[in-house]
Amino acid sequence: MVQLHKVSGNAETSYGVYLNAGLIDTAGWENKDSLHIAVVDDDLILVTPERMPTEQWIDLYDAATAGKTIDEMSPVKLVRLREVTNGEDGRRPSSTTSLAPLGDSGHRILVTNAAKRLQLTSGTDIRRRANLGVIVLIPAPTATDEVNERARAVLDV
């Protein structure tokens, strides 16, 4: 488990999560990979490579959600879910980031939009789980048995 941390830069407040080399290897990612970050059901964060085929991403999202699956969503909601522009509430439903190395031992990814959407603050504990092509981030405040079960389902896809 790691803590969400503030990242200095040009933005007012940016948040990052540390990913050790073992998680990156398990996910099969490389330096500078472009990553897609999506909040699912306001309780977990799905991190996948932007190059992932849409069909594979849909399978992961469907495993992660307790709500409507992709097939049950209207086309408009699906586009809003996948787009990285500002939503009606001024927040992005998804965002992209690059895998940034922090030396030989790991990487940091920026999860600012997800952190703000979930109303997380610096110091929030984050559990990380990985499998080929995906990392699931589970903030401690939302880590119920049901959320942990859905995270395991994502990793089993």
Side-chain angles (χ1 to χ4, degrees):
M1 191 171 305
V2 295
Q3 291 188 339
L4 185 69
H5 60 271
K6 284 187 179 180
V7 177
S8 61
N10 294 335
E12 286 182 26
T13 304
S14 295
Y15 295 100
V17 172
Y18 176 75
L19 303 175
N20 63 34
L23 286 169
I24 300 301
D25 289 344
T26 299
W29 299 343
E30 297 179 12
N31 285 344
K32 299 181 184 176
D33 273 355
S34 182
L35 303 174
H36 183 264
I37 299 165
V39 173
V40 180
D41 295 351
D42 290 333
D43 52 23
L44 61 82
I45 302 166
L46 192 61
V47 185
T48 56
E50 198 172 23
R51 70 182 183 282
M52 177 178 277
T54 302
E55 296 79 18
Q56 185 179 359
W57 187 88
I58 288 170
D59 290 342
L60 294 172
Y61 181 90
D62 285 351
T65 186
K68 290 185 176 183
T69 64
I70 296 295
D71 287 343
E72 297 169 327
M73 285 184 191
S74 71
V76 171
K77 285 189 178 184
L78 177 57
V79 168
R80 286 185 184 150
L81 177 67
R82 289 287 291 175
E83 72 184 352
V84 293
T85 58
N86 288 335
E88 293 171 4
D89 60 0
R91 298 177 294 186
R92 295 176 180 181
S94 298
S95 62
T96 58
T97 191
S98 294
L99 194 57
L102 289 176
D104 293 336
S105 61
H107 296 72
R108 174 181 56 217
I109 58 170
L110 294 178
V111 293
T112 303
N113 290 324
K116 289 180 178 180
R117 182 171 225 74
L118 295 175
Q119 300 177 355
L120 305 176
T121 58
S122 183
T124 300
D125 286 333
I126 305 287
R127 181 176 295 128
R128 305 152 305 160
R129 299 289 182 254
N131 203 350
L132 188 60
V134 63
I135 292 180
V136 180
L137 304 176
I138 308 163
T142 65
T144 64
D145 289 341
E146 186 261 338
V147 170
N148 289 322
E149 185 177 312
R150 290 183 4 240
R152 280 190 294 277
V154 169
L155 301 177
D156 290 341
V157 170

